[in-house]
């Protein structure tokens, strides 16, 4: 299911629009496709190293892929928009995941900090914050956007 969503032109187009929006608005912490794919990769690696079930890893990768969809309207409140967009996407495409509530909750709360017992959310938050690349650092002040 992850590969189907990853290759869906609708999802790719949203992240391409986010990239354009962030370029036009001088955003210094990108939330584009490159970023979410980095988060997916780290999520998969971490959960594999923790010997998690392959089905759980697949669903956590979906959360990582969809967690920044809401940035299409900017960073403010993007986690809640991402949650709504992912939920509608699942409904429209008749996607039923075993851990759907955990996936959606992880997307919704990924900007809230680590105060959760949702293991998918904790992994998503950690991997999201670990994606520190040149495109996510303000080189004029050397600040890292970790929100």
């Amino acid at each position: 299911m992850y590969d189907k969503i990853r290759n869906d032109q609708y999802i790719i187009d949203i992240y391409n629009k986010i990239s354009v929006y962030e370029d036009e608005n001088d955003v210094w912490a990108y939330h584009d496709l490159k970023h979410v794919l980095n988060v997916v990769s780290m999520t998969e690696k971490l959960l594999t190293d923790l010997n998690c079930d392959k089905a759980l890893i697949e669903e956590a990768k979906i959360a990582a892929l969809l967690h920044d969809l809401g940035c299409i309207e900017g960073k403010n409140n993007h986690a809640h928009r991402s949650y709504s967009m992912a939920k509608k996407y699942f409904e429209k495409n008749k996607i039923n995941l075993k851990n759907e509530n955990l996936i959606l909750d992880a997307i919704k709360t990924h900007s809230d900090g680590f105060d959760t017992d949702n293991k998918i959310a904790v992994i998503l938050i950690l991997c999201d914050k670990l994606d520190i690349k040149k495109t996510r650092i303000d080189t004029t002040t050397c600040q890292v956007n970790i929100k």
Side-chain angles (χ1 to χ4, degrees):
M1 183 56 64
Y2 166 79
D3 289 331
K4 179 181 177 184
I5 297 170
R6 162 59 183 98
N7 294 311
D8 186 332
Q9 194 61 49
Y10 172 76
I11 299 298
I12 294 168
D13 287 346
I14 288 175
Y15 281 113
N16 287 338
K17 289 175 185 175
I18 290 169
S19 184
V20 169
Y21 172 87
E22 291 180 336
D23 284 342
E24 290 174 350
N25 289 282
D26 201 27
V27 173
W28 53 269
Y30 284 80
H31 299 84
D32 56 8
L33 188 58
K34 186 174 182 179
H35 162 66
V36 296
L37 292 178
N38 287 338
V39 176
V40 167
S41 178
M42 285 186 276
T43 297
E44 181 176 32
K45 172 81 170 106
L46 186 55
L47 291 175
T48 299
D49 288 351
L50 292 171
N51 294 316
C52 289
D53 177 77
K54 290 184 190 289
L56 178 71
I57 295 170
E58 185 83 356
E59 291 189 356
K61 288 169 52 180
I62 292 169
L65 178 65
L66 302 179
H67 83 276
D68 277 342
L69 288 174
C71 286
I72 195 157
E73 295 178 23
K75 178 102 167 75
N76 191 32
N77 204 30
H78 80 283
H80 287 277
R81 276 193 309 278
S82 297
Y83 158 81
S84 295
M85 292 172 75
K87 185 174 182 178
K88 287 176 187 172
Y89 180 81
F90 292 162
E91 290 167 0
K92 179 182 177 191
N93 292 283
K94 296 177 178 50
I95 297 171
N96 296 307
L97 304 172
K98 179 180 177 185
N99 297 293
E100 186 170 321
N101 289 334
L102 291 175
I103 299 303
L104 290 171
D105 181 66
I107 293 169
K108 181 169 57 175
T109 62
H110 81 270
S111 291
D112 294 348
F114 290 97
D115 189 22
T116 181
D117 60 356
N118 178 343
K119 64 183 169 186
I120 295 172
V122 170
I123 296 296
L124 176 58
I125 293 164
L126 178 62
C127 293
D128 188 31
K129 303 318 174 220
L130 286 174
D131 184 36
I132 300 176
K133 304 269 190 271
K134 185 176 180 181
T135 58
R136 296 185 57 82
I137 297 174
D138 181 350
T139 56
T140 61
T141 63
C142 225
Q143 290 181 335
V144 178
N145 183 356
I146 57 171
K147 292 185 179 182

